[in-house]
Amino acid sequence: MTWEIAFVLTAILCMLGCLILELERPEVIVFITLVVFLLTDIISAAEALNGFSNEGMLTIALLFIIAGAIQKSDLVKISLYKLLNPKDKEKMTLLKILVPVSAISAFMNNTPIVTAFTPILRKWCEKNQLSASKLLIPLSYATILGGTITVIGTSTNLVVHGLLLDYNLPGFSFFQLGIVGIPITLLGIFYLYTIGYRLLPDHKTQNNVQEISKEYIGEVKITEEYEHINKTIKEAKLRKLAGLYLLGIIRDNEMITPVTSSTIIKAKDRLIFTGLISTVAELQSLKGVHLETNTGPLLEELNTGKSKLVEAVVSHHSSLLHKKINETHFRGKFDAAVIAVHRKNERINSKIGDITLKPGDTLLMVIGDDFQDRNHLHDFYVVNTVNEEKLPATISRQKGWFTIAVMIMLVSLVALNVLTMLKAVSFAAVALLIFRIITPEEAKRFIKFDVLLIIASSFGIGTALINSGTAEWIANNILLLVQPFGVFSLLIVLYLITNLFTEIITNNAAAAMMLPIAIEVSSQTSINPIALAVIVAISASAGFSTPIGYQTNMIVYGPGGYSFKDYLKVGIPLNLIVMAATVVIVYAAWVI
């Protein structure tokens, strides 16, 4: 082992450790690792930047725009509403969801699908007194399985496709992965409908407005004697009350919410606080502040729909991570006030502003009129209007169908080899912009630059593995240990290593790091490199065993009330089924 190999292995192990411990946002950790390799001359500047111009990475960026246009139309949401029947039990509903969702995921990024469907299913279960926990993990798993059917089904497939092209190898054809993807999707659906259903927890969902009403909500009236009249909330130090949180101000029979630090306090204002009942007495010690005993105004506003209450799940790439809420300038940034935080289906009973946010936390918020216009797509996985029962109002049904038509054209052009993947996706994105289906500002919001940074940086890390000889060293050791047991065993080991990486880091980073090793294994054996690329692509997507293995798992984590062990219990058997089927099919189709 040379010093370069030792250095690269140490750097990657440190990167993995930081990702597992969540010391910083994933894209920051991976990018820092890339910079370390650049500064130590393991890779050149051109090699470090190569990932930012990779065909697979650029294709993913453009697909975000197309998926955003479909998401904007609300056609996906409306189609789910039509599938749901109040007379159906959970198992029938489950079957109705699994088949179409996995089919849609073959052609559309699975994150917006799960983002759109999660709140609808949760509301529907709440209304019909069914268990959302029986449906949400299967929803996530079905989209992951469906994404393995085509090359555009998931960003992981496109990462591997783009790397193959960089290695001067033929990339995947449009439906090539379907040789494996279709069988494992059918097997996965059967498992989730039978054994998996029994293993899932049975948590009945609760109405969040009712839940809030169980917590003390206090109202105080400001009289002329209050010393901070005509001063701001910040100057009056109403942000610093221990255990209490200012939700809104009722002034002239109108609710002001969320309240900012610069809001002026006036005589006769009625301030609405939430907090632990033991701390409310602090308000009574303030001169000019009269404590009311009723708790109704805010809840009445919420129940009548005059104020909007939403749920949002903190994403893995959020700018809010590892910060206290009162340090994030939350109200000014999102025009929203957090009134409750749930973690692992449990309410965190402490002052809202002192809670340090983590990935998967579910935030309950009262929002202002500008909330929808603020750029929160990268900070929250799910935005769910809790107290809104009507069907989503599509901006334009015609625009939605136009987007679907563009998507069908894209698939046809690529499948018939008329255009390359990048050209077809570029054509589709430009068409949506020209016909004003989506505006440039909206397109910019839908592109997940944090995900793209991980992908581009991971390509450079993969190059470091090759340049330093680390990929060859790892490949030699794998072959030394496994080759005596045959090719079949080699495929299993490669699958397991990639799958382990995707469970503890990100799927795209796992694929970008493992493909160079797979190519090196191929060069030292007679195995078709495409066979090993398929193993890497499928195993990098098959993150079923942990909530952090795949971002759709994290989306349903909080809303479903799941614990970490629920993913282990349901996901490990599915991982084993998918691994067995994948290895057998790859061996039969590409190796024999």
Side-chain angles (χ1 to χ4, degrees), residues 17-75:
C18 292
L19 288 168
I20 293 168
L21 296 173
E22 297 180 346
L23 297 181
E24 186 49 86
R25 291 157 61 183
E27 66 272 19
V28 175
I29 295 170
V30 177
F31 181 69
I32 288 173
T33 306
L34 174 70
V35 172
V36 167
F37 290 145
L38 173 63
L39 294 176
T40 53
D41 290 328
I42 300 294
I43 55 175
S44 65
E47 289 170 331
L49 294 172
N50 186 52
F52 294 88
S53 61
N54 179 271
E55 182 172 325
M57 198 276 294
L58 295 174
T59 303
I60 293 167
L62 293 169
L63 279 171
F64 281 142
I65 298 174
I66 299 169
I70 296 173
Q71 185 179 358
K72 176 185 171 185
S73 73
D74 278 333
L75 285 178

Side-chain angles (χ1 to χ4, degrees), residues 261-431:
S261 296
S262 59
T263 300
I264 302 295
I265 302 170
K266 296 185 178 181
K268 299 182 181 180
D269 278 351
R270 290 147 63 200
L271 278 56
I272 310 298
F273 287 89
T274 183
L276 305 179
I277 192 167
S278 59
T279 65
V280 177
E282 184 176 342
L283 291 174
Q284 300 183 77
S285 64
L286 302 175
K287 187 178 180 181
V289 175
H290 178 66
L291 181 62
E292 303 285 348
T293 57
N294 62 27
T295 62
L298 179 64
L299 290 174
E300 289 174 8
E301 295 273 338
L302 292 173
N303 284 313
T304 58
K306 293 180 181 178
S307 292
K308 286 188 178 180
L309 184 70
V310 303
E311 276 184 316
V313 178
V314 178
S315 81
H316 256 101
H317 305 283
S318 177
S319 61
L320 307 171
L321 291 182
H322 315 303
K323 297 177 183 176
K324 291 182 178 180
I325 292 176
N326 59 15
E327 297 172 348
T328 61
H329 306 291
F330 201 96
R331 295 170 191 251
K333 187 173 183 179
F334 301 110
D335 190 29
V338 179
I339 60 176
V341 179
H342 287 255
R343 183 173 295 156
K344 298 179 181 178
N345 203 36
E346 294 181 2
R347 178 69 172 276
I348 302 176
N349 288 319
S350 64
K351 188 179 179 182
I352 297 293
D354 291 335
I355 296 173
T356 301
L357 294 173
K358 295 183 179 181
D361 283 352
T362 302
L363 310 182
L364 203 58
M365 304 179 290
V366 178
I367 63 170
D369 294 334
D370 294 334
F371 176 76
Q372 298 296 344
D373 296 327
R374 304 292 174 91
N375 189 4
H376 51 61
L377 294 176
H378 304 300
D379 291 297
F380 307 130
Y381 280 132
V382 177
V383 176
N384 168 30
T385 305
V386 175
N387 55 330
E388 184 175 72
E389 295 296 330
K390 60 185 179 180
L391 275 171
T394 181
I395 296 172
S396 169
R397 199 72 62 87
Q398 291 77 16
K399 288 184 176 182
W401 286 114
F402 180 85
T403 306
I404 298 295
V406 168
M407 193 70 186
I408 293 172
M409 185 182 297
L410 181 160
V411 171
S412 302
L413 290 172
V414 176
L416 296 173
N417 293 320
V418 176
L419 292 177
T420 64
M421 181 71 62
L422 181 59
K423 289 180 180 178
V425 174
S426 300
F427 169 75
V430 169

Side-chain angles (χ1 to χ4, degrees), residues 59-68 70-71 76 101 103-116 143-144 146-147 150 152-156 158 407 446 448 451-452 455 507-508 550-552 555:
T59 303
I60 293 167
L62 293 169
L63 279 171
F64 281 142
I65 298 174
I66 299 169
I70 296 173
Q71 185 179 358
V76 175
V101 160
I104 295 170
S105 297
F107 305 99
M108 181 179 169
N109 186 282
N110 49 19
T111 301
I113 296 174
V114 178
T115 300
T143 62
I144 295 171
T150 70
I152 66 168
T154 175
S155 56
T156 309
L158 286 166
M407 193 70 186
F446 282 120
K448 297 183 178 180
V451 175
L452 297 179
I455 294 170
N507 51 325
N508 293 316
Y550 208 96
Q551 59 189 5
T552 56
I555 294 173

Side-chain angles (χ1 to χ4, degrees), residues 140-208:
S140 174
Y141 288 176
T143 62
I144 295 171
L145 291 165
T148 63
I149 294 174
T150 70
V151 70
I152 66 168
T154 175
S155 56
T156 309
N157 298 346
L158 286 166
V159 167
V160 176
H161 171 76
L163 283 170
L164 286 172
L165 296 177
D166 280 353
Y167 292 131
N168 296 317
L169 292 167
F172 297 134
S173 62
F174 193 85
F175 288 107
Q176 189 172 18
L177 286 166
I179 297 171
V180 178
I182 292 174
I184 65 173
T185 299
L186 294 175
L187 286 170
I189 289 173
F190 179 76
Y191 163 78
L192 291 170
Y193 184 72
T194 54
I195 300 170
Y197 178 83
R198 295 177 185 175
L199 296 174
L200 286 163
D202 187 3
H203 302 315
K204 293 292 189 293
T205 55
Q206 297 178 344
N207 184 286
N208 288 285

